[in-house]
Amino acid sequence: MKRSVLTRYRVLAYVTGVLLVLLCLSMIAKYGLDVDGAATFTRVVAIAHGWLYVVYLVLAFDLGSKAKWPVGKQLWVLLAGTIPTAAFIVERKISRELEGTFSDATPEPVKA
């Protein structure tokens, strides 16, 4: 497995996580606090999160299939983009787990 697969997943996990937190805050502002302009912001963030979550799903599935994860783990990673802040926690755990498994890792120099 190449490091770029994990890097793409990590980027989309952070982007999806940030957008989901922003979406939650904008929904609170729109419905709970009745803030002017929150409806437009909520709509823009919801659309962005929706489309980028689809990309996140593709990249997370690609990572899971290359890492040969069981179905339960794969589902947890896929659903992490729908739970506020879960994407950050799952991304960190997955990154630590896969850190030493890359085919493009540079080998240690041999000392003579």
Side-chain angles (χ1 to χ4, degrees):
M1 181 170 57
K2 298 227 181 244
R3 185 176 300 276
S4 62
V5 175
L6 179 61
T7 301
R8 286 190 298 262
Y9 161 75
R10 290 183 72 189
V11 168
L12 258 295
Y14 276 105
V15 170
T16 302
V18 167
L19 286 174
L20 187 56
V21 169
L22 282 175
L23 180 59
C24 290
L25 293 174
S26 68
M27 298 276 279
I28 291 169
K30 178 181 176 183
Y31 295 110
L33 304 174
D34 199 27
V35 174
D36 290 337
T40 303
F41 185 75
T42 301
R43 185 175 54 247
V44 169
V45 172
I47 291 170
H49 172 71
W51 281 105
L52 288 172
Y53 179 67
V54 172
V55 177
Y56 168 84
L57 288 175
V58 170
L59 295 178
F61 182 79
D62 182 43
L63 177 65
S65 64
K66 288 180 179 167
K68 296 179 175 51
W69 289 338
V71 174
K73 184 174 188 174
Q74 183 78 22
L75 287 174
W76 172 240
V77 173
L78 294 174
L79 289 174
T82 63
I83 303 167
T85 67
F88 305 118
I89 297 165
V90 171
E91 179 277 325
R92 191 71 242 146
K93 183 178 177 187
I94 295 302
S95 295
R96 286 183 182 150
E97 178 184 312
L98 295 177
E99 193 55 42
T101 63
F102 300 108
S103 61
D104 59 349
T106 55
E108 293 283 327
V110 178
K111 295 183 181 180

